[in-house]
Amino acid sequence: MSTPTQPFTPSADLARPTVADAVVGHSEMPLFIRKPNADDGWGVYELIKACPPLDVNSAYAYLLLATQFRDTCAVATNEEGEVVGFVSGYVKDNAPDTYFLWQVAVGEKARGTGLARRLVEAIMSRPELEDVHHLETTITPDNLASWGLFRRLAARWHAPLNSREYFSTEQLGGEHDPENLVRIGPFQTDRI
């Protein structure tokens, strides 16, 4: 007995506005935000490598995120289908009202467009996350760009932002800055 095959749709075709959750940027460089798929895994991996100080995981990990966690991740592509932005995260099993954001990456070509915020808000406005009223992430103390993003999100969502040390340098093997747990919320998803 054979398994029916799924039709193949290239990433560039999936980036069309009719499939995208949102189109952002400007007319000279539109960016398309959507759920990722397996075709995006390698592009996400390459994007993360190009965005220090982000920790680079394996290409396999990004393939899993793009397929197994696609409802809670978002990818941004340009008109050619190149991955220029990515957000990964998941709804916590032990706290179903909380979305844990794992990584945010915006490539050099898309910086200054507000893409990071738009990627996060695209995820948070999905029907699958309507019961989510808190966002958590971890940020190193010196990552000013991430601190700025999450402070802006808290202000836009009219929600408090709290933080505390979560993982110490020692817990991270002695070669990594400590990670602070940052929590925004509660917020109402209809405000996003």
Side-chain angles (χ1 to χ4, degrees):
M1 180 171 183
S2 66
T3 304
T5 58
Q6 296 293 323
F8 176 77
T9 306
S11 291
D13 291 343
L14 289 169
R16 303 276 180 255
T18 56
V19 182
D21 295 335
V23 180
V24 299
H26 46 79
S27 59
E28 296 83 38
M29 191 183 89
L31 302 173
F32 307 100
I33 297 173
R34 59 177 169 74
K35 292 179 180 181
N37 62 62
D39 293 337
D40 299 312
W42 187 257
V44 169
Y45 173 71
E46 291 293 324
L47 172 69
I48 302 295
K49 285 191 339 188
C51 292
L54 290 179
D55 293 327
V56 179
N57 298 287
S58 69
Y60 178 73
Y62 294 112
L63 279 168
L64 286 176
L65 288 167
T67 56
Q68 301 298 310
F69 295 91
R70 70 185 308 262
D71 289 342
T72 57
C73 295
V75 67
T77 60
N78 60 19
E79 285 186 299
E80 292 77 38
E82 176 187 5
V83 175
V84 296
F86 181 68
V87 169
S88 61
Y90 55 90
V91 176
K92 294 173 68 171
D93 285 339
N94 63 347
D97 69 337
T98 303
Y99 175 82
F100 185 86
L101 191 151
W102 183 14
Q103 281 188 313
V104 177
V106 175
E108 192 172 322
K109 293 179 183 179
R111 291 190 184 139
T113 63
L115 182 59
R117 176 187 57 81
R118 292 171 187 262
L119 283 161
V120 173
E121 289 183 342
I123 294 169
M124 299 310 298
S125 64
R126 290 180 181 158
E128 300 96 311
L129 277 73
E130 69 182 348
D131 294 330
V132 169
H133 300 288
H134 296 88
L135 182 147
E136 290 181 349
T137 193
T138 62
I139 307 174
T140 57
D142 63 346
N143 189 335
L144 300 180
S146 288
W147 282 105
L149 169 64
F150 290 97
R151 285 186 180 113
R152 286 189 301 278
L153 288 170
R156 282 177 58 85
W157 300 349
H158 307 285
L161 181 146
N162 295 293
S163 70
R164 64 177 172 82
E165 187 174 285
Y166 192 58
F167 294 127
S168 69
T169 298
E170 293 77 29
Q171 288 173 312
L172 292 164
E175 297 181 12
H176 191 290
D177 289 336
E179 292 276 351
N180 289 332
L181 179 67
V182 178
R183 182 174 172 91
I184 299 174
F187 54 80
Q188 295 301 316
T189 53
D190 59 355
R191 286 186 169 174
I192 298 173

